[in-house]
């Protein structure tokens, strides 16, 4: 069977490393893969606000409080850019939100771990945002235009997030014995889950090959995980924290670090909804959505009433008439 | 930064504590707002207020060689000077908006006046803050209209919220004796009321909301007499810091 003209164009655009735009023809499977990936990514930003917002009211200095509010607010902004990018593929934000709160959509499992300690705000920034950066920098070149462009904006902010996390840990490691202990204990809990953020090993990652062919994904899971560890090791030395992997060793031959065995059973447990905080995260999201329903309805009813008003009535409103018509 | 006199420090503490406690309340809401855009907007407002609080408390601290964190984390309830309005729990979104509507209109008139203060540090803080609270005022006014004129339910909630919040308005405009010593430096609270009423009444009128009549809360925040709520706000805000005396973060 020969490819249609449209299909050929699509294949040519991908081959030329050009961008696919919302109006271009694309295979259904490409569209579906993107909607799945972008909406999962958006949900992760939104659920990811929770463990960190848990510490806004208790941040131990006003400066840290301000930085943390700004960071959580950035994550809400990331969610918004990504939902917009997914909407260009014909799926509405309401549909995506419904899927999330009904428990049908996935988000990054890392946010199903709790943040009981202030040092977790440091670990989340350093390790979780750090892993996100390794994952996301290549996505700035993703073949779908709106996704790639959203990722460019997001990545700029993620590097600030990682730096503030590193600074929190550095401050703790240079502090009292109790603070150092707090930092190490937290890194111990977040290190392995952060490595799992790159997804299952390459030989067990069913969707990766197709995504790489479509240039949505540019590097394999294991490759990205490896890059991440290479970045972490020298930073851990500066911090003075120990990465909790006794088998971690530099391999002269490959110039990469050999990692210990990752506990994929735990990964699959959390993925299956049996993580420490899955239920709590979803419930909180659902509660916010349900509690806010009357507010959203009010805003919609008000906008509707304003739009229905005759032009003479709105002459004194702050909206210029041209904009209202 | 110049060093504040004891009276100026007391006044800066009034203002700083109002913004700090209100920012703390708004901080509770982030990730729980009715829509994501509001998580961003409320986060922005909380950040602005926290910024004002930090500048004001830093300045207040110069009188006693303390920093903003000494004042925020190591004072106890009777030493706080926040008004009861700022301490009120969030309640539903209508209550959040009613509190924002009142506080932003008050803060706008306050900072608009304080820009001309003979104290140059206060004047500079006010000049920056007035632009930001002007945006907060607009945000609250827009939501007041949407809620009051949206659906039956939202109107019922907005009416209830406004009447719950209104008893705390008077305290904001009450003079305390020491303010006499700050002529030309402080904005005398009682003299801000006319401008406040003139600005907020058209918003209420457009939203078809009557100015609530009813009781007036006793207040006392400026003298360290607080609502039942403040102790909980402080307990949460200070818990980690106080567990590690002398630590840096
Ligand atoms: Fe993000
Ligand atoms: Fe981030």
């Amino acid at each position: 069977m020969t490819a249609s003209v449209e299909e050929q164009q699509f294949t040519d655009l991908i081959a030329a490393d050009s961008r696919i735009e919302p109006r271009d023809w694309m295979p259904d499977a490409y569209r579906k893969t993107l909607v799945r990936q972008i909406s999962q990514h958006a949900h992760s930003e939104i659920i990811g606000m929770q463990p960190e917002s848990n510490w806004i009211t208790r941040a131990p200095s006003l400066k840290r409080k301000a930085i943390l509010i700004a960071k959580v607010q950035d994550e809400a902004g990331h969610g918004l850019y990504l939902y917009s990018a997914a909407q260009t593929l014909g799926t509405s934000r309401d549909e995506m939100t419904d899927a999330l709160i009904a428990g049908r959509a996935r988000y990054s499992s890392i946010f199903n771990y709790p943040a009981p300690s202030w040092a977790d705000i440091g670990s989340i920034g350093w390790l979780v945002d750090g892993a996100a950066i390794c994952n996301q920098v290549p996505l700035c070149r993703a073949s779908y235009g709106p996704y790639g462009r959203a990722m460019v904006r997001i990545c700029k902010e993620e590097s600030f997030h990682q730096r503030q996390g590193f600074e929190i840990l550095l401050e703790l490691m240079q502090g009292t014995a109790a603070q150092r202990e707090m930092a190490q204990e937290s890194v111990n809990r977040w290190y392995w889950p952060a490595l799992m953020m790159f997804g299952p090993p390459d030989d067990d990652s069913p969707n990766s090959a197709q995504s790489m062919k479509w240039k949505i994904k540019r590097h394999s899971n294991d490759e990205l995980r490896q890059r991440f560890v290479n970045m972490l090791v020298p930073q851990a030395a500066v911090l003075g924290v120990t990465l909790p992997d006794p088998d971690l060793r530099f391999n002269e031959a490959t110039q990469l670090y050999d990692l210990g065995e990752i506990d994929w059973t735990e990964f699959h447990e959390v993925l299956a909804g049996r993580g420490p905080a899955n239920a709590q995260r979803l419930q909180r999201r659902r509660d916010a959505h349900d509690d806010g329903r009357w507010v959203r309805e009010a805003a919609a009813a008000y906008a509707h009433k304003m739009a229905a008003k005759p032009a003479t009535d709105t002459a004194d409103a702050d909206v210029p008439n041209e904009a209202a018509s | 930064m110049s060093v504040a006199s004891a009276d100026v420090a007391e006044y800066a503490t009034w203002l700083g504590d109002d913004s700090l406690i209100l920012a703390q309340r708004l901080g509770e809401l982030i990730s729980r707002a009715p829509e994501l855009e509001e998580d961003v907007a409320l986060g922005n407002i909380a950040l602005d207020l926290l910024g004002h609080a930090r500048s004001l408390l830093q300045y207040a601290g110069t009188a006693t060689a303390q920093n903003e964190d000494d004042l925020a984390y190591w004072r106890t309830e009777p030493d706080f000077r926040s008004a009861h309005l700022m301490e009120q729990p969030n309640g539903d979104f209508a209550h959040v908006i009613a509190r924002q509507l009142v506080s932003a209109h008050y803060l706008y008139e306050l900072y608009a006046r304080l820009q001309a203060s003979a104290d140059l540090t206060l004047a500079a803080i006010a000049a920056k803050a007035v632009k930001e609270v002007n945006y907060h005022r607009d945000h609250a006014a827009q939501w007041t209209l949407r809620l009051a004129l949206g659906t039956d339910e939202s109107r019922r909630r907005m009416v209830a919220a406004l009447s719950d919040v209104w008893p705390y308005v008077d305290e904001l405009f009450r003079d305390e004796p020491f303010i006499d010593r700050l002529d030309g430096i402080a904005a005398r609270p009682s003299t801000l009321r006319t401008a406040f009423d003139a600005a907020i009444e058209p918003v209420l009128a457009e939203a078809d909301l009557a100015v609530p009549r009813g009781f007036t809360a006793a207040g006392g925040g400026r003298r360290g007499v607080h609502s039942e709520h403040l102790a909980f706000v402080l307990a949460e805000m200070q818990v980690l810091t106080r567990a590690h005396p002398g630590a840096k973060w």
Side-chain angles (χ1 to χ4, degrees), chain A residues 45 75 78 154 158:
Chain A
E45 301 282 356
E75 306 300 5
H78 297 175
I154 290 172
E158 295 299 355

Side-chain angles (χ1 to χ4, degrees), chain A residues 45 52 71 74-75 78 128-129 132 154 157-158 161-162:
Chain A
E45 301 282 356
E52 292 188 286
K71 183 187 188 249
D74 282 350
E75 306 300 5
H78 297 175
V128 176
D129 288 282
I154 290 172
E157 295 177 344
E158 295 299 355
H161 295 173
Q162 198 203 11

Side-chain angles (χ1 to χ4, degrees), chain B residues 22-43:
Chain B
L22 186 56
Q24 182 74 5
R25 282 299 192 199
L26 294 174
E28 295 169 15
L29 291 170
I30 301 171
S31 82
R32 294 182 162 89
E35 53 191 23
L36 297 175
E37 286 81 354
E38 277 310 295
D39 277 315
V40 175
L42 294 171

Side-chain angles (χ1 to χ4, degrees), chain A residues 58-254:
Chain A
R58 293 174 296 163
S61 73
L62 297 185
K63 177 180 144 198
R64 291 286 166 216
K65 190 190 292 288
I67 293 172
L68 185 56
I69 293 174
K71 183 187 188 249
V72 178
Q73 193 194 26
D74 282 350
E75 306 300 5
H78 297 175
L80 285 170
Y81 307 154
L82 287 163
Y83 283 128
S84 303
Q87 279 176 298
T88 64
L89 292 158
T91 305
S92 74
R93 189 163 135 194
D94 283 348
E95 286 173 75
M96 292 183 271
T97 305
D98 287 346
L100 174 65
I101 61 181
R104 295 193 308 270
R106 285 203 196 291
Y107 54 85
S108 179
S109 281
I110 193 78
F111 300 117
N112 289 323
Y113 291 87
S117 145
W118 166 253
D120 294 340
I121 301 306
S123 295
I124 291 174
W126 182 46
L127 297 171
V128 176
D129 288 282
I133 292 170
C134 291
N135 260 329
Q136 292 172 7
V137 167
L139 292 176
C140 296
R141 297 188 292 128
S143 56
Y144 186 58
Y147 190 30
R149 287 189 289 273
M151 292 316 304
V152 171
R153 293 174 71 175
I154 290 172
C155 283
K156 279 192 194 134
E157 295 177 344
E158 295 299 355
S159 46
F160 149 72
H161 295 173
Q162 198 203 11
R163 194 158 354 110
Q164 65 84 38
F166 182 85
E167 279 166 12
I168 287 173
L169 292 175
L170 190 62
E171 195 79 63
L172 292 174
M173 289 305 292
Q174 293 173 348
T176 64
Q179 285 178 303
R180 283 195 297 279
E181 201 176 303
M182 191 190 284
Q184 182 65 58
E185 186 276 334
S186 171
V187 169
N188 290 349
R189 274 185 291 112
W190 288 92
Y191 175 75
W192 291 107
L195 291 193
M196 296 181 204
M197 284 175 70
F198 297 93
D202 294 345
D203 47 24
D204 184 26
S205 181
N207 300 321
S208 282
Q210 181 61 67
S211 282
M212 284 174 74
K213 223 155 93 197
W214 278 331
K215 295 185 180 169
I216 297 173
K217 216 176 144 108
R218 300 264 178 178
H219 307 279
S220 79
N221 295 351
D222 286 331
E223 222 179 318
L224 289 169
R225 189 167 12 246
Q226 198 71 59
R227 273 192 196 190
F228 177 57
V229 174
N230 274 29
M231 180 187 83
L232 284 187
V233 172
Q235 294 178 356
V238 174
L239 287 173
V241 294
T242 307
L243 296 175
D245 178 358
D247 299 324
L248 187 66
R249 246 168 226 95
F250 191 68
N251 183 326
E252 287 295 341
T254 60

